[in-house]
Amino acid sequence: MKLRIEDNSVRLRLSDDEVQHFGRTGRVSSSVRLGPHPDDQLKYSLERLPEGDPSDTVRILYASGSMAVRVPAALAQQWVAGSDIGFSEKLHVTETQELRILVEKDLDCRH
């Protein structure tokens, strides 16, 4: 899974295998090692919210070097099974600042 952070946007791009894994398990994750110690890493994941969760929007959680993009179950299922390349959401992180989240199937990885 590729992670791109630019300005106020976070973009995740998943290979076909990662999309299928996400569809089966509801989670795909990766990490970037940033230093010599095992805790010196940024972990990031795409997670499907549980069925029945009242949220109908994409969310992002960040704590101690770990970032999770959480997606409503219906949207996750539609994206995995459908032909749409991706989906996006704008979240208000402060009163005057938005964060754009973009999740895409990586077409360059298709063989």
Side-chain angles (χ1 to χ4, degrees), residues 47-68:
E47 301 173 359
R48 181 179 59 225
L49 291 167
E51 292 285 341
D53 188 290
S55 178
D56 61 352
T57 60
V58 176
R59 294 187 257 171
I60 192 162
L61 301 175
Y62 177 78
S64 296
S66 181
M67 178 184 70

Side-chain angles (χ1 to χ4, degrees), residues 31-43 65:
S31 64
V32 176
R33 190 83 179 251
L34 301 171
H37 299 96
D39 291 340
D40 293 342
Q41 59 183 319
L42 171 63
K43 298 175 188 175

Side-chain angles (χ1 to χ4, degrees), residues 79-91:
W79 177 67
V80 169
S83 60
D84 289 344
I85 300 303
F87 57 89
S88 65
E89 187 81 35
K90 287 184 181 177
L91 305 176

